[in-house]
Amino acid sequence: MATDAEELIAQSTPEDAPPFSMELSQDQQDIRDWVHGFAEGVVRPAASEWDEREETPWPIISEAAKIGLYGFESLAQFWADPSGLTLPIASEELFWGDAGIGMAIMGTMLAVAGIFASGTPEQLGEWVPQCYGTVEDPKVGAFCVSEPDAGSDVSALRTRAKYDEAKDEWVLNGQKAWATNGGIANVHVVVASVDPELKARGQAAFVIPPGTKGLEMGTKVKKHGLRASHTADVFLDDCRVPGSCLLGGKDKLDERMARAREGQAAKSQAAMRTFEVSRPTVGAQALGIARAAYEYALDYAKERRQFGRAIIENQAIAFALADMKLEIDAARLLVWRASWMGRADHPFTNAEGSMSKLKAGEVAVWATERAIQILGGNGYTREYPVERMHRDAKIYTIFEGTSEIQRLVIARAISGVHIP
Ligand SMILES: Cc1cc2nc3c(=O)[nH]c(=O)nc-3n(C[C@H](O)[C@H](O)[C@H](O)COP(=O)(O)OP(=O)(O)OC[C@H]3O[C@@H](n4cnc5c(N)ncnc54)[C@H](O)[C@@H]3O)c2cc1C
């Protein structure tokens, strides 16, 4: 049976997409202000504490669940906006509050996106609510693709999934690396190789239901930034799941692998499009960090006095702030453009989704570094938030496709040449 959220999504088809406009509707402004209020009142005051603790901020996730910000309904509401802008706007505001806590709240979306990308409507209805849990007992989800020897090159996955026909079960074995919420998630979505000879075309995504034997958390990673977000290895040791846990179903997988064995062209456009659609949301998160650092540095530069004047009265500082504002707004335009294109079903001829994530990620690293410089010694301490923002920003040139991989995707798209 379709949930309210599924119905909300189904009602909003790409045909509804309005022309691109930067004039926000009243609904978009209301959502922006609502998320901003939560980011300012709840997230930001807790940011330093959870960064130091390096633990999942469950009380904050609970608060977000209570107000309806954490859960499938809010995600569906953001996604249902036919202009495509509500999700990046909400993401920017949340990550403006704090990126570590922001990722603790938004990390589940990775698993949900994985279920959306390959699952049937029945699978979506069954597993997505379990990723989030309930308001009284919120849960998180994890999306496990990366492995120790397969990061940028996801075609090299070693985790194997074998079908046990007699029991109609899949048996998974392997090691996943770097999984956000890995091992603490209620639902893990695991990408594994069914036929390694077919590389990426022989891979499939599986749901590992709560409490499944054979899934164990490995080492929890101690990170440079995003420390309120849990990252860990996940081990799969004869991990058995029902046949129905293969996302999309066995018939579809068999057909796809048969086409690949016959040497038929891959529907690579579809996979590529999935990334192009999801990358602007990641860019919007980076944008939130960059804007937070810029605003902090601007206020500081007006207050801090040296040589008898506010430091902003020096062109070196004023121009740095002008450049920060310029780059952040330019990145936002790319993020909004790609978000609108994704929702309106426009072809990403020049890899516009990758462009937006690349630009926003690099702007976030650069702008947070500039902010430290503007704060001087204070900027380098944990007493001031820009140091944490800089550490948090760095991940945006690494995960969801490194900056080099984004450039590769863009270069291939603009040239039509298969650059290796
Ligand atoms: C905090 C954090 C959270 C994460 N969360 C998740 C998660 O939830 N789920 C998940 O599956 N993964 C997750 N990841 C993994 C992340 O997606 C990978 O780290 C990322 O894809 C890069 O892979 P790698 O670390 O193995 O680097 P590598 O692929 O080893 O790359 C190392 C360097 O080589 C460069 N390089 C590689 N190939 C090329 C090429 N062809 N051309 C030019 N340069 C190249 C890269 O750009 C990079 O600079 C997370 C990682 C971190 C740090």
Side-chain angles (χ1 to χ4, degrees):
M1 209 171 92
T3 62
D4 292 349
E6 282 171 67
E7 276 165 17
L8 202 60
I9 286 175
Q11 280 162 14
S12 182
T13 59
E15 287 81 55
D16 304 331
F20 182 70
S21 166
M22 288 184 297
E23 201 170 343
L24 300 187
S25 68
Q26 193 56 50
D27 271 359
Q28 289 168 332
Q29 291 178 43
D30 291 347
I31 289 177
R32 178 195 62 196
D33 296 347
W34 172 59
V35 179
H36 186 83
F38 182 75
E40 191 170 36
V42 180
V43 174
R44 201 170 258 203
S48 174
E49 177 192 341
W50 291 98
D51 175 60
E52 293 292 341
R53 286 174 66 164
E54 296 194 48
E55 289 169 6
T56 301
W58 286 107
I60 315 278
I61 295 175
S62 279
E63 288 297 308
K66 273 184 207 147
I67 65 158
L69 179 57
Y70 184 74
F72 187 48
E73 274 68 22
S74 62
L75 179 63
Q77 192 194 356
F78 298 164
W79 175 249
D81 168 12
S83 81
L85 299 191
T86 300
L87 188 54
I89 288 168
S91 304
E92 178 180 336
E93 294 311 318
L94 184 61
F95 282 68
W96 172 91
D98 180 59
I101 295 176
M103 187 52 71
I105 291 171
M106 292 287 253
T108 298
M109 207 171 88
L110 297 169
V112 172
I115 298 171
F116 254 93
S118 320
T120 62
E122 293 72 36
Q123 288 172 324
L124 205 139
E126 180 170 9
W127 297 113
V128 170
Q130 295 195 53
C131 287
Y132 286 107
T134 60
V135 173
E136 298 72 34
D137 187 17
K139 306 281 186 198
V140 291
F143 187 53
C144 311
V145 182
S146 305
E147 297 182 359
D149 294 322
S152 299
D153 181 9
V154 287
S155 70
L157 296 185
R158 287 192 188 164
T159 296
R160 290 293 310 271
K162 286 191 181 162
Y163 186 54
D164 179 344
E165 201 162 358
K167 293 185 175 167
D168 183 26
E169 284 178 349
W170 287 93
V171 188
L172 283 88
N173 280 288
Q175 180 184 354
K176 292 293 172 184
W178 307 111
T180 300
N181 297 332
I184 63 165
N186 203 37
V187 173
H188 291 75
V189 177
V190 171
V191 179
S193 175
V194 177
D195 184 343
E197 280 183 17
L198 299 178
K199 299 212 159 179
R201 297 178 73 188
Q203 294 171 357
F206 299 84
V207 165
I208 314 293
T212 302
K213 279 190 195 146
L215 184 147
E216 295 285 338
M217 185 172 101
T219 313
K220 179 182 165 185
V221 184
K222 289 190 162 194
K223 302 196 297 293
H224 178 61
L226 231 55
R227 300 197 306 187
S229 165
H230 171 100
T231 314
D233 286 351
V234 170
F235 288 97
L236 299 147
D237 184 10
D238 281 335
C239 182
R240 284 183 167 267
V241 296
S244 59
C245 287
L246 166 63
L247 289 172
K250 193 161 181 309
D251 291 348
K252 212 168 161 190
L253 173 68
D254 287 343
E255 268 172 43
R256 173 155 56 85
M257 291 198 305
R259 274 202 312 271
R261 285 188 196 105
E262 285 162 15
Q264 289 182 29
K267 292 182 180 167
S268 58
Q269 285 310 99
M272 160 110 176
R273 195 174 162 80
T274 306
F275 285 123
E276 291 301 315
V277 170
S278 64
R279 281 179 177 153
T281 306
V282 181
Q285 298 171 1
L287 211 47
I289 309 173
R291 195 183 103 217
Y294 157 73
E295 289 175 3
Y296 200 93
L298 179 62
D299 288 345
Y300 187 93
K302 288 182 187 166
E303 290 289 321
R304 174 71 177 166
R305 297 182 72 81
Q306 287 293 281
F307 300 101
R309 57 182 185 266
I311 60 169
I312 199 170
E313 291 176 44
N314 302 294
Q315 284 193 350
I317 301 294
F319 285 9
L321 286 157
D323 283 344
M324 286 160 80
K325 173 71 176 153
L326 178 75
E327 290 292 321
I328 290 166
D329 280 11
R332 186 180 298 104
L333 286 176
L334 289 178
V335 165
W336 284 16
R337 176 181 73 169
S339 302
W340 172 77
M341 287 175 76
R343 197 67 190 85
D345 228 3
H346 271 268
F348 287 99
T349 336
N350 296 309
E352 288 85 351
S354 297
M355 276 193 205
S356 71
K357 192 262 178 185
L358 171 62
K359 179 70 179 171
E362 298 209 333
V363 165
V365 175
W366 171 83
T368 51
E369 192 273 339
R370 286 285 83 200
I372 292 177
Q373 192 65 22
I374 291 169
L375 266 71
N378 283 337
Y380 196 63
T381 71
R382 293 193 185 183
E383 297 300 310
Y384 288 78
V386 292
E387 172 270 345
R388 185 183 66 250
M389 292 169 187
H390 187 50
R391 286 188 283 109
D392 291 344
K394 185 56 196 157
I395 192 60
Y396 287 87
T397 66
I398 298 172
F399 69 7
E400 297 284 325
T402 64
S403 285
E404 290 78 11
I405 295 301
Q406 309 298 339
R407 286 191 168 85
L408 192 63
V409 172
I410 298 164
R412 284 176 183 168
I414 59 170
S415 67
V417 175
H418 186 79
I419 299 155

